[in-house]
Amino acid sequence: MTHAALINPLRVRQDFSLLAPTEGGARLVYLDSAATSQKPNAVLEAMDDYYRCANANVHRGVYRLAQEATERFEDGRRAVAELVAAPLAGTIFTKNATEAINLVAWAWGLRTLRPNDVVMVTEMEHHSGIVPWQIVAKMTGAEVRFAPITPDGELDHEWIDHTLASAPVRMVSIVHVSNVLGTVNPVADIVARAHAHGALVLVDASQSVPHMPVSFAGIGCDFMAFTGHKMLGPTGIGVLVGRPEILDGMEPFLGGGEMIADVRTDGSDWADLPNKFEAGTPPIAESVGLGAACIYLSSLGLDAVRAHEVHLTTYALDALSEIDGLRIFGPRDPARRGGALSFHLPDLHPHDIAQLVDEDNVCVRAGHHCAKPLMRALGVNATARASTYIYNDTDDIDALVTALHRARAYFAR
Amino acid sequence: MPGLDDLYQQLILDHYRRPRHRGTLSEPTIEVDQQNPLCGDELHITVRIVDDQITEIAHAGEGCSISQSSASMMSDAVVGHSVADALAMIEHFRRVMHGEIVADETILGDAIALEGVAKYPVRIKCALLSWMALKDGLINGTPTAQEDQ
Ligand SMILES: Cc1ncc(COP(=O)(O)O)c(C=O)c1O
């Protein structure tokens, strides 16, 4: 496949009905894609067409309609696996990234962790990468330890190496790209170091898969979680990729239909991968939509998507730095960070910022971003966060900067 | 920003910039911590009660203009009143925020300026935070779990 070298956001925007200008010419400046992305028409049409033309329950159906539904559903899985270089048998659909991490915590952690074993997470984890481990640690007597962050928003790698060498670390659960700081963690490197000490690694790729080329095989981790709605796909579908040899040795997470080979009154046998971990009717239309999203992303080219992100982030870091007193969290080097930009103004609370810039049709998020341990480490209760994607351009950053100036002036009135 | 003037009235910005009763009382009768789970904002309220009268109140913590100004206005409103009066004011304010009744300035004082918040559902929690914290404190002496929003 040939890729256009660069993203043309104006061209991309034509694929997103929600981003079209209104009749009065106003348009939405959507800077909250780290929370959820907008959806291109290709995704909406694929899901609509599935419901209109191919809707049936999947698997076991003998009639042709059910076969068609099954094919479209499994095509979605193939597209996802291809996008991230994952083994098809290890590509499991969940409800979202949160459920994917819970699946590992419960199906692997609960049966594997012993008292005093250590699960290493980081201070920059999303709550979904913390709370499942805390729950399972409480049940098993294992301990959750948090890798600290440095003042510039990177992980403290010395602490990680020291802990790997000195503590019985069984699992390292780590975010690839921080949804608050934007930090891109060197996950392949961390995997090699963790494996050398016998620990497994789960990578939370929720903020990386939508924005850059990500290879499960290349990272070498044991599990990888991400979520459909942040990568142009629908809500209601997430992905857990696992190494099949590990998944094979695990007991199921949820029980029910679809995940069995045989059910008897004296016990049951499990289906083969990936169905063993997909109890009940799966998210069928969502798989179709996510597959369409993967194809859309591949046609843009994830190298181009990432290049566009670096371009916008470079521009945004410069533009925001010009604002008097504005503090930006996370790495200053655009090559070392993703497109989530959290910032703080001394005289405007994040809530007020988000409320005020909304008057100018600028959507930014305010709050703790489901990362309260990180907020504590940064010494704030909340930040404002602007995050970009393929449909944003430098005009959107300018609109944010203008809106921030207006917000300030309004509050000083 | 015309649409916003209802929300951010001059009086709100004034209480935000110059909060009244800010700080922490030593050896208070009642002490309450409350968090806004939506944004992580924290509030610490201390109250002195003598003969069933609120003689002193102070608020500390961090928050947006709405939650901070609301804490300031609430403190102004309840100080010097009996516990029963304060609880009645809190109930009046809660119902105003939920759009159930029209605000009465003789009851609320400056807090009447918060009436416009009722039109911004996500911010109602911010405005109610300190009032619900005080209610918890007056009823229980300590914070209860999630209060009515
Ligand atoms: C880094 C990270 N991990 C996990 C999640 C959770 O995603 P979901 O809510 O779709 O499970 C998010 C989303 O906010 C995220 O940013």
Side-chain angles (χ1 to χ4, degrees):
Chain A
M1 208 186 298
T2 53
H3 298 317
L6 285 173
I7 302 282
N8 176 351
L10 282 178
R11 164 73 201 80
V12 167
R13 242 179 251 158
Q14 290 170 3
D15 296 334
F16 291 78
S17 306
L18 202 143
L19 299 176
T22 63
E23 272 178 26
R27 79 183 176 84
L28 196 66
V29 177
Y30 186 72
L31 291 171
D32 196 21
S33 293
T36 198
S37 73
Q38 297 301 340
K39 322 300 175 198
N41 295 332
V43 168
L44 307 180
E45 282 157 14
M47 294 176 75
D48 191 66
D49 188 70
Y50 163 76
Y51 277 127
R52 286 180 196 279
C53 309
N55 177 57
N57 211 330
V58 293
H59 303 143
R60 298 178 317 276
V62 172
Y63 51 91
R64 279 165 295 161
L65 187 67
Q67 285 179 23
E68 172 72 20
T70 305
E71 265 170 43
R72 292 197 193 192
F73 171 66
E74 292 298 339
D75 281 348
R77 192 194 308 275
R78 261 188 293 280
V80 171
E82 224 169 84
L83 188 80
V84 298
L88 200 57
T91 302
I92 296 159
F93 284 136
T94 59
K95 187 170 64 174
N96 46 35
T98 304
E99 189 182 273
I101 299 171
N102 273 277
L103 191 163
V104 179
W106 287 86
W108 177 86
L110 193 56
R111 286 172 185 275
T112 312
L113 294 170
R114 297 278 167 268
N116 304 319
D117 280 353
V118 171
V119 175
M120 186 195 292
V121 301
T122 79
E123 275 183 347
M124 65 170 88
E125 269 352 87
H126 188 275
H127 292 164
S128 62
I130 298 172
V131 183
W133 294 116
Q134 287 177 329
I135 292 173
V136 169
K138 203 167 178 185
M139 297 168 84
T140 56
E143 185 196 342
V144 180
R145 287 199 204 166
F146 287 77
I149 55 163
T150 63
D152 49 350
E154 306 264 2
L155 288 175
D156 181 343
H157 288 281
E158 256 173 54
W159 185 96
I160 292 175
D161 285 331
H162 176 77
T163 305
L164 283 171
S166 60
V169 181
R170 301 281 172 251
M171 169 62 76
V172 177
S173 187
I174 183 182
V175 73
H176 190 183
V177 174
S178 161
N179 64 316
V180 177
L181 301 168
T183 315
V184 180
N185 289 314
V187 281
D189 188 57
I190 293 171
V191 167
R193 286 144 61 199
H195 280 176
H197 290 281
L200 298 186
V201 180
L202 183 157
V203 172
D204 174 357
S206 301
Q207 298 288 351
S208 55
V209 167
H211 298 276
M212 59 187 68
V214 173
S215 161
F216 176 77
I219 294 171
C221 57
D222 304 284
F223 300 101
M224 188 163 91
F226 50 102
T227 200
H229 67 94
K230 293 188 203 283
M231 52 187 290
L232 308 178
T235 54
I237 189 165
V239 181
L240 175 72
V241 179
R243 293 214 336 250
E245 60 273 28
I246 299 178
L247 293 170
D248 267 331
M250 283 161 53
E251 291 292 310
F253 172 42
L254 301 174
E258 305 275 348
M259 51 73 70
I260 47 83
D262 187 22
V263 178
R264 301 171 308 276
T265 51
D266 66 346
S268 301
D269 302 322
W270 315 137
D272 288 337
L273 292 175
N275 305 62
K276 175 175 149 186
F277 290 102
E278 293 180 350
T281 299
I284 307 169
E286 288 75 10
S287 168
V288 171
L290 185 55
C294 291
I295 291 165
Y296 187 93
L297 280 172
S298 306
S299 70
L300 290 175
L302 276 149
D303 284 316
V305 171
R306 173 62 181 154
H308 182 65
E309 176 172 81
V310 172
H311 161 68
L312 278 186
T313 305
T314 308
Y315 187 87
L317 283 168
D318 284 348
L320 288 172
S321 307
E322 306 250 306
I323 296 178
D324 204 25
L326 186 140
R327 174 181 170 202
I328 295 175
F329 300 97
R332 300 309 295 258
D333 176 1
R336 297 175 73 88
R337 55 146 48 248
L341 278 165
S342 287
F343 57 92
H344 204 269
L345 281 170
D347 48 344
L348 272 185
H349 186 277
H351 253 172
D352 294 315
I353 292 177
Q355 185 95 56
L356 290 163
V357 302
D358 181 45
E359 287 299 295
D360 292 337
N361 282 329
V362 177
C363 307
V364 299
R365 191 150 288 259
H368 53 60
H369 315 292
C370 295
K372 290 193 78 172
L374 177 57
M375 293 293 120
R376 290 199 183 94
L378 296 173
V380 294
N381 283 335
T383 72
R385 180 187 71 188
S387 54
T388 58
Y389 207 11
I390 49 178
Y391 31 68
N392 295 116
D393 57 13
T394 52
D395 285 352
D396 293 342
I397 307 298
D398 291 342
L400 170 65
V401 170
T402 304
L404 287 172
H405 282 304
R406 269 164 58 84
R408 240 190 183 167
Y410 181 77
F411 249 49
R413 81 189 196 273
Chain B
M1 299 190 196
L4 275 188
D5 291 350
D6 272 355
L7 178 63
Y8 291 120
Q9 293 193 21
Q10 208 49 262
L11 207 48
I12 293 179
L13 296 186
D14 182 57
H15 275 266
Y16 180 45
R17 284 192 283 255
R18 296 189 302 113
R20 329 308 193 238
H21 306 278
R22 187 151 173 87
T24 309
L25 303 180
S26 59
E27 295 176 37
T29 320
I30 290 168
E31 183 163 9
V32 198
D33 281 305
Q34 189 96 356
Q35 282 214 354
N36 186 342
L38 291 176
C39 58
D41 283 346
E42 289 162 8
L43 187 69
H44 182 70
I45 291 186
T46 42
V47 190
R48 180 149 9 259
I49 298 175
V50 179
D51 294 337
D52 207 39
Q53 300 283 312
I54 297 175
T55 57
E56 274 184 281
I57 181 166
H59 61 97
E62 257 191 67
C64 64
S65 60
I66 302 297
S67 76
Q68 292 291 294
S69 62
S70 183
S72 170
M73 292 166 169
M74 177 209 63
S75 302
D76 256 358
V78 300
V79 78
H81 286 269
S82 70
V83 169
D85 278 355
L87 285 171
M89 288 174 180
I90 292 168
E91 179 58 13
H92 181 81
F93 185 74
R94 189 192 67 78
R95 295 190 64 197
V96 169
M97 283 299 106
H98 287 174
E100 294 168 14
I101 51 171
V102 180
D104 181 343
E105 188 166 5
T106 59
I107 299 177
L108 295 180
D110 281 1
I112 184 100
L114 289 162
E115 196 174 16
V117 178
K119 279 186 277 174
Y120 292 82
V122 258
R123 305 304 293 277
I124 294 173
K125 186 104 198 164
C126 311
L128 277 175
L129 191 68
S130 56
W131 300 74
M132 290 303 130
L134 180 63
K135 180 179 167 187
D136 277 350
L138 294 179
I139 292 175
N140 305 316
T142 49
T144 58
Q146 270 305 291
E147 252 301 334
D148 177 306
Q149 64 156 317

